[in-house]
């Protein structure tokens, strides 16, 4: 009887890629629920648009590349990119911008480099940056969570905003939108106010606006769950959050008038999403343990630098994509010492 | 990384190696019943190469009747092992037969048709007083018995027991870890023969002249074996012998990994334990040594684990060396329906067999026939997502994904830069890969490509040297021929002018009469110099070759390659042991 001959090991019980991706998607759901609650149904519209675009684009390009379509669609990686992009952009973004960002992320950033595993840049963040640089106005116009709940656009009104740019009657764009805490801080500091003066406004929760605190908390807990499930390793979140808070704390100590308390940065903008869901993208992050610490710590530094002294209120996307570029070099110089060899620098 | 991890139950400090995996334990499948006694099959197929090294030389002829325990093939050279008849019978053939080898090729074997009478050859005298005897004499007995490492690597044991005066041995390590899931032959052996194992340890210590400690490393998933050993040690405790229970973590049974766990010492990349004063033997080997020395019994049988849910009856069995896998499985009730795979060894490092018509050799520790849904091996491979789980699992801290990447790019220099040859093929990386990439298969491919390249380069170099030597020879012959003609002509000229300048220096100042003698000599010297130069150049060229083959003569290089190949195979089997 001839037997099947395969190379050892004869068992590969590891969780397949699509299970890992599925867990990332599941981990995003609490945050999605909270964002929808505070920032409207626009997120669900964005999620739908981005997901459909990503899947269709992935299928189309794979067809053109004469590659099998089904395995790639079912690995769920396109969906993860789509969701991250949808969560990162404002909930009242015009529909075609969501589609454009998602299309760019999948077609150019991912598939043109060879598909899953070959892209040097994080697709969701590259898509986000394309939109941010091209349409800075729309990309910074966010629905204000502090508008009264009865004026919150419902699903139909959200669809009208997204597709027709028509806002509910009796309101204005200015009334509907508001600054994020990072924006607020930046603008007021530029106006010469001190941090404690800014902070006393009604706008603030404990540290930032309460909605952002809730979203950050949800992402933080989900992120811990991903670490617990070993979907991501602890290195990147720890180093990213660690370097960002260390810098923030240091500058707060030096000049509390101009720099908010360190913890502020952790619950603002894209920090938590970046730390647990974006910088941890295995394809584009550094792969060695030491390299991950360096990579993520550098992201934290860049985020702090851009937020404090740069031209944009938030910087997670820039920091991640910039450090994506440095990954090959970081990996090269942080190889672990192979057992039985003496330590050396690089190969 | 040799960070101290924790303490063994006996309070000894333990270290941990990097990575490792913890596959589900399936040893209970085969440990329900005690070891079944050996059965005599209708035929035995005895490969002349049961071990790493040179095949043995047959001492018998076709048609000859042999007795149980009779030497039928003799070790050929240092790295080789004797072969004895496992039972009495008639030699029916000596020739090529399929063996359990990855290539699926045949190998020379002695075929023995048992007569079922079990007539014994005269056994050598037991060396019960081994402690009073010269270690060399005891070692000779071990060599005679054809003992090889029974953990799976099948390295001739006598060599490991004679590391030479340059490498004094202070510690003996007994490998009882048996970390492969499913395999339980060492476990069952220790439960049954713990006393013999202790005797074997006494003998090994005597032969090696070990003055220091002896550590028996056993994983904590074998409580019965641990109890049996504790009792045996309490009864006849050799000095400084300690049973060290270690946590269950694959591949703790790898020689280097076990030494690291027990002592915190890290072997150099291509080093052997003897370089740090240690020798490591498997428990089965120690028991075989006790049998050979104290009872005069050569290695003619071993315990084999028959397991997997694809077998009607799993368990452990004493098996005569040379029994065909098919016969053994048939004797035990055969396969369950739907079996498509048969693996010699465990699921992590075992070797898939093409057919069950292959003999079980001295190194065969397990036959594993998984039921169709039992072990997941054929999931389609996806793209590498660079998740690094492979690197986290690698016990030698390689970067498997980089090795994979460069192997796919066929960049063999880069693959070696990433220390491909430190890979022990334990399979941890492929085991944890979420894309189900058969990583080890890529590393085997890369190793083979590098060996092939080196071999081709060696051959090309050899051909070039031969060509140049021939060219030089032809030139020399031509020169000599011309010189002869010139001399002849000169001689003729002189004859024509008798009494003229005979014996006087010619115009160039050379004594004309000696010219015929000196010139061929000069030419020969010049040719030799040229050859030496060519050789030097060739060696310099080899200096930029792959590192593992640098600065070696072609013959040495060939040996090194063969040794590497064997070592890799050994690693792939023994370490799992």
């Amino acid at each position: 009887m001839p037997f099947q001959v395969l190379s050892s090991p004869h068992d590969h019980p590891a969780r397949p890629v699509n299970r890992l991706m599925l867990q990332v998607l599941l981990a995003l759901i609490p945050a999605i629920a909270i964002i929808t609650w505070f920032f409207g149904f626009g997120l669900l519209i964005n999620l739908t648009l981005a997901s459909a675009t990503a899947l269709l684009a992935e299928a189309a390009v794979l067809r053109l590349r004469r590659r099998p379509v089904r395995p790639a669609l079912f690995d769920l990686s396109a969906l993860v990119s789509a969701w991250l992009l949808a969560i990162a952009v404002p909930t009242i973004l015009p529909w075609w911008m969501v589609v454009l960002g998602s299309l760019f992320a999948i077609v150019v950033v991912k598939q043109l480099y060879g598909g899953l595993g070959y892209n040097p840049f994080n697709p969701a963040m590259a898509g986000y940056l394309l939109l941010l640089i091209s349409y800075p106005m729309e990309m910074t116009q966010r629905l204000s969570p502090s508008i009264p709940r009865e004026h919150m656009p419902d699903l139909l009104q959200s669809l009208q905003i997204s597709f027709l740019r028509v806002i509910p009657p009796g309101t204005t764009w200015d009334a509907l939108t508001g600054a994020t805490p990072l924006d607020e801080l930046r603008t007021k500091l530029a106006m010469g106010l001190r941090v404690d003066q800014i902070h006393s406004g009604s706008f603030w929760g404990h540290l930032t606006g309460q909605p952002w605190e809730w979203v950050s908390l949800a992402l933080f807990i989900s992120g811990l769950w991903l670490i617990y499930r070993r979907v991501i390793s602890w290195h990147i979140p720890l180093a990213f959050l660690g370097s960002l808070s260390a810098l923030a704390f240091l500058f707060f100590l030096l000049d509390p008038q101009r720099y908010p308390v360190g913890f502020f940065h952790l619950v603002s903008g894209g920090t938590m999403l970046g730390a647990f869901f974006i910088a941890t993208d295995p394809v584009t992050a550094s792969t060695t343990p030491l390299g991950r610490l360096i990579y993520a710590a550098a992201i934290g530094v860049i985020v702090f630098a851009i937020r404090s002294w740069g031209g944009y209120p938030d910087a997670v996307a820039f920091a991640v994509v910039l450090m994506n570029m440095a990954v090959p070099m970081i990996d090269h110089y942080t190889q672990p010492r192979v057992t039985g060899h003496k330590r050396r620098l690089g190969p | 990384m040799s960070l101290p991890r924790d303490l063994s139950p006996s309070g000894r400090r333990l270290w941990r190696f990097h990575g490792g995996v913890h596959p589900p334990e399936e040893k209970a499948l085969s440990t329900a019943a005690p070891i079944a006694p050996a059965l005599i099959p209708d035929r035995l197929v005895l490969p002349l190469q049961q071990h790493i090294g040179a095949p043995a030389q047959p001492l018998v002829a076709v048609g000859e009747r042999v007795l149980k325990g009779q030497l039928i093939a003799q070790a050929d050279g240092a790295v080789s092992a004797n072969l004895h008849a496992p039972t009495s019978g008639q030699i029916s053939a000596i020739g090529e037969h399929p063996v359990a080898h990855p290539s699926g090729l045949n190998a020379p074997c002695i075929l023995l048709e048992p007569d079922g009478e079990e007539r014994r050859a005269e056994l050598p005298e037991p060396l019960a007083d081994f402690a009073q005897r010269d270690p060399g004499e005891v070692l000779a007995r071990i060599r005679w018995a054809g003992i090889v490492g029974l953990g799976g690597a099948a390295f001739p044991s006598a060599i490991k027991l004679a590391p030479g005066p340059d490498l004094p041995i202070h510690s003996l390590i007994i490998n009882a870890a048996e970390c492969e899931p499913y395999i339980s032959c060492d476990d069952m052996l220790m439960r049954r023969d713990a006393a013999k194992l202790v005797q074997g340890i006494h003998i090994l210590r005597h032969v090696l002249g070990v003055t220091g400690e002896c550590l028996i490393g056993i994983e904590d998933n074998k409580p019965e074996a641990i109890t049996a050993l504790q009792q045996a040690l309490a009864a006849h405790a050799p000095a400084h012998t300690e049973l060290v229970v270690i946590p269950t973590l694959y591949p703790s049974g790898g020689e280097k990994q076990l030494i690291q766990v027990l002592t915190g010492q890290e072997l150099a990349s291509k080093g052997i334990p003897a370089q740090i004063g240690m020798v490591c033997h498997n428990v089965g080997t120690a028991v075989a040594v006790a049998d050979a020395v104290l009872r005069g019994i050569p290695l003619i049988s071993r315990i084999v684990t028959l397991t997997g849910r694809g077998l009607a009856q799993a368990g452990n069995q004493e098996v005569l060396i040379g029994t065909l896998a098919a016969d053994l499985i048939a004797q035990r009730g055969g396969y369950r329906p739907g079996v498509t795979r048969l693996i010699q060894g465990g699921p992590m490092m075992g070797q898939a067999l093409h057919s069950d018509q292959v003999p079980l050799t001295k190194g065969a520790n397990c036959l594993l026939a998984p039921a169709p849904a039992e072990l997941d091996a054929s999931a389609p491979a996806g793209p590498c997502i660079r998740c690094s789980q492979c690197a986290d699992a690698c016990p030698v801290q390689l970067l498997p994904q980089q090795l994979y990447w460069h192997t796919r790019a066929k960049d063999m220099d880069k693959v070696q830069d990433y220390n491909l040859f430190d890979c022990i093929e334990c399979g941890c990386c492929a085991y944890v890969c979420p894309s189900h990439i058969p990583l080890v298969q890529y590393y085997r491919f890369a190793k083979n490509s590098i060996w092939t390249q080196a071999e081709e380069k060696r051959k090309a170099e050899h051909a070039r040297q031969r060509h140049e030597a021939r060219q030089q020879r032809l030139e020399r012959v031509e020169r000599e021929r011309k010189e002869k003609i010139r001399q002849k002509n000169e001689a003729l000229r002189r004859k024509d002018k008798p009494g003229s300048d005979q014996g006087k220096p010619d115009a160039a100042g050379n004594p004309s009469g000696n010219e015929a003698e000196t010139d061929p000599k000069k030419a020969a010297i010049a040719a030799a110099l040229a050859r030496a130069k060519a050789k030097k150049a060739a060696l310099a060229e080899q200096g930029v070759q792959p590192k593992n083959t640098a600065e070696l003569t072609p013959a040495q290089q060939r040996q090194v390659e063969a040794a590497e190949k064997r070592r890799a195979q050994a690693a792939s089997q023994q370490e799992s042991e």
Side-chain angles (χ1 to χ4, degrees), chain B residues 278-467:
Chain B
M278 297 184 191
V279 163
C280 183
H281 279 286
N282 168 264
V283 287
T285 314
V287 170
V289 163
D291 274 335
V293 173
L294 301 176
R295 285 167 274 281
I297 302 170
L299 181 61
I300 53 172
S301 71
R302 66 158 297 145
I303 300 168
V304 177
T305 302
L306 292 138
T307 188
R309 293 175 179 83
L311 288 183
Q313 200 191 338
N316 279 276
Q317 175 144 19
E318 189 88 34
V319 174
L320 296 185
I321 304 298
T323 305
L324 294 187
D327 291 346
L328 185 60
I329 290 168
Q331 279 170 352
R332 297 183 61 100
Y335 301 98
R336 291 222 171 95
V339 170
T340 57
R341 289 189 284 159
L342 183 63
I343 296 152
Q344 179 177 316
M348 295 303 289
M349 292 182 78
Q351 176 199 334
L353 297 178
H354 299 259
S355 140
D356 54 10
Q357 299 296 319
V358 296
L360 292 160
T361 54
K362 293 173 181 177
N365 48 9
C366 177
L367 280 176
L368 167 62
E374 192 170 353
L375 293 172
D376 167 28
S378 54
C384 168
I385 58 167
R386 294 166 41 86
C387 67
S388 309
Q389 288 192 38
C390 48
D392 296 341
C394 179
V396 282
Q397 279 210 282
L398 294 169
L399 294 173
Q401 63 188 29
Q402 305 286 32
L403 289 171
Y404 165 70
W405 182 270
H406 294 303
T407 301
R408 280 189 61 130
K410 300 226 167 69
D411 186 347
M412 295 305 161
D413 289 340
K414 258 288 194 273
V415 177
Q416 288 185 83
D417 283 346
Y418 278 94
N419 300 306
L420 170 73
F421 284 95
D422 284 286
C423 169
I424 58 170
E425 299 184 21
C426 65
C428 289
C429 51
Y431 186 84
V432 299
C433 176
S435 290
H436 292 280
I437 301 168
L439 291 162
V440 180
Q441 201 170 312
Y442 281 91
Y443 310 147
R444 293 206 177 108
F445 166 80
K447 287 179 183 173
N448 279 318
S449 308
I450 292 163
W451 286 323
T452 311
Q453 273 174 17
E455 175 70 5
E456 273 165 11
K457 201 158 184 184
R458 187 191 65 74
K459 276 185 185 159
E461 179 59 26
H462 189 61
R464 192 180 66 79
Q465 284 176 357
R466 267 175 39 180
H467 174 75

Side-chain angles (χ1 to χ4, degrees), chain B residues 486-548:
Chain B
R486 200 183 63 78
Q487 283 171 14
K488 232 179 198 171
N489 286 343
E490 209 162 286
L492 282 172
R493 227 176 32 234
R494 265 184 252 129
K495 244 186 200 169
D496 287 349
K497 296 185 193 169
S500 68
D501 50 9
Q502 193 159 24
K504 282 185 183 169
D506 63 10
N510 288 330
S512 56
N514 294 339
E515 222 167 281
E517 285 158 35
T518 49
D519 236 14
K521 252 187 214 163
K522 267 188 193 162
I525 292 166
L529 279 174
R531 276 200 303 276
K533 212 172 170 186
K535 203 168 177 185
K536 212 173 167 188
L539 281 174
E541 212 174 346
Q542 281 179 4
V544 295
Q545 268 190 25
K547 292 159 195 152
N548 60 325

